[in-house]
Amino acid sequence: MSEVQQELLPVTFDDFKQQNGSTYWYASVLQTMLGYSDYKFFKKAIDRAVKACISLNIDHFANFRPTTRVVDGEEIEDCKLTRFACYLTVMNGDPKKPEVAAAQVYFAEQTRRFELFVQGRDDFERLITRDELADSNKSLNSTASAAGVTDYAKFANAGYLGMYNMHNWKLANYRGVEAKNLLSHMGRAELAANLFRSTMTEERIKNFQIKGQQALEKTHFEVGKKVREFVEEETGKLPEQLPVERPILAVRKEIKAGYRKMLKEDE
């Protein structure tokens, strides 16, 4: 850790822990440590942390426990956070804030003890965005079904053809992964682009009242093509050229294993 980062974190994270049958940290204290003066901005990090917890199938109620406590004679609403909840919150904080950046470095060093080597914020964003994409695809399929889609495979591949200039199975072969695991190997930006494609296709179907298999396939293709152009413009790469990441399943397993070790540490 650099001297600047040490100045931002002059005391260790464990100096702020509370122990009463279990080890925990108050969210209000973590908020101050991370340099958030406005709770509504800090809450965004908390909300993303909770989503990550849910994505990992880890009991978020056990890690984020609402409570009240008295501070300077005034009762305030607060939350008891486990070590893991604090870790998730820090990793989902705004890295542009020097306090958050310093805390992320601190946690990165600490979590090596738990054999937890995630790629920082991006890995957590991948988990969350992958779940959001799954929900969006379900909603899109429901809307498409009501609009007359009967061949879901052809409808789905129309979107891939527009965005990647190839069907999903060809994209999987191109990347050397199994077709069923195609999304699992996508990075954060690519998952977000596919989420945008799915969402915008559904919106166009609804807003223009598009009906019928062929018209719906055409719509999905056209939206995919526009997303393709946007990705190329913003990244300098075509969507199929974006990097292949380690599978999300491996990320989930690693984080859950680290979580169990953190629990043992606090026991």
Side-chain angles (χ1 to χ4, degrees):
M1 187 181 297
S2 70
E3 292 182 2
V4 172
Q5 289 162 342
Q6 287 177 339
E7 288 178 4
L8 290 170
L9 285 174
V11 292
T12 68
F13 172 72
D14 282 303
D15 288 332
F16 292 97
K17 69 183 178 184
Q18 306 288 323
Q19 290 180 306
N20 182 15
S22 62
T23 302
Y24 62 90
W25 287 257
Y26 282 117
S28 59
V29 174
L30 184 62
Q31 175 185 340
T32 301
M33 286 183 66
L34 297 181
Y36 285 92
S37 57
D38 193 327
Y39 178 72
K40 71 178 181 180
F41 293 113
F42 177 67
K43 189 175 183 298
K44 291 181 180 179
I46 289 279
D47 289 343
R48 296 296 282 180
V50 170
K51 284 185 177 181
C53 208
I54 293 172
S55 177
L56 292 162
N57 291 320
I58 292 175
D59 185 359
H60 63 287
F61 293 110
N63 287 277
F64 299 84
R65 292 170 288 170
T67 187
T68 58
R69 67 189 185 106
V70 177
V71 178
D72 297 329
E74 180 181 353
E75 186 175 79
I76 66 169
E77 293 185 359
D78 212 328
C79 190
K80 292 180 179 180
L81 308 177
T82 63
R83 183 184 299 271
F84 185 67
C86 291
Y87 170 61
L88 289 180
T89 303
V90 167
M91 299 312 290
N92 281 282
D94 182 1
K96 294 179 182 177
K97 298 180 70 63
E99 297 90 345
V100 172
Q104 288 179 345
V105 172
Y106 174 81
F107 266 99
E109 292 178 352
Q110 291 296 306
T111 51
R112 289 192 181 96
R113 294 189 294 115
F114 307 109
E115 298 179 8
L116 212 168
F117 304 103
V118 298
Q119 301 301 308
R121 182 187 177 104
D122 276 5
D123 271 342
F124 292 110
E125 287 292 333
R126 286 181 69 206
L127 291 174
I128 295 170
T129 307
R130 175 66 186 90
D131 284 350
E132 291 175 343
L133 176 56
D135 290 340
S136 180
N137 282 338
K138 288 178 183 177
S139 181
L140 171 60
N141 285 339
S142 177
T143 297
S145 175
V149 158
T150 55
D151 191 328
Y152 293 96
K154 288 183 67 177
F155 173 70
N157 264 315
Y160 273 95
L161 191 58
M163 183 169 171
Y164 294 96
N165 205 27
M166 63 182 81
H167 292 122
N168 60 354
W169 62 270
K170 283 191 176 180
L171 178 62
N173 288 340
Y174 176 79
R175 291 182 168 178
V177 303
E178 293 184 72
K180 65 179 181 180
N181 295 325
L182 188 56
L183 295 176
S184 181
H185 287 274
M186 290 184 182
R188 177 182 62 86
E190 187 175 1
L191 285 169
N194 276 282
L195 176 60
F196 183 68
R197 170 179 58 81
S198 176
T199 303
M200 290 300 100
T201 300
E202 182 175 8
E203 288 302 305
R204 183 181 287 196
I205 292 171
K206 289 179 178 178
N207 292 337
F208 294 95
Q209 298 184 351
I210 298 166
K211 305 290 184 182
Q213 178 78 32
Q214 288 187 339
L216 291 164
E217 285 181 31
K218 183 173 182 290
T219 297
H220 204 181
F221 173 84
E222 290 174 348
V223 173
K225 189 174 180 180
K226 286 190 176 183
V227 174
R228 178 181 179 82
E229 293 169 356
F230 178 78
V231 170
E232 183 179 13
E233 180 180 344
E234 295 300 321
T235 68
K237 296 180 180 180
L238 295 170
E240 61 270 20
Q241 296 171 335
L242 293 174
V244 178
E245 304 285 353
R246 63 174 176 152
I248 286 178
L249 180 60
V251 176
R252 290 183 194 276
K253 287 182 177 179
E254 183 178 301
I255 296 175
K256 293 181 80 169
Y259 167 63
R260 289 191 291 269
K261 291 176 182 178
M262 286 187 186
L263 286 181
K264 188 174 182 180
E265 171 87 2
D266 289 335
E267 288 174 355

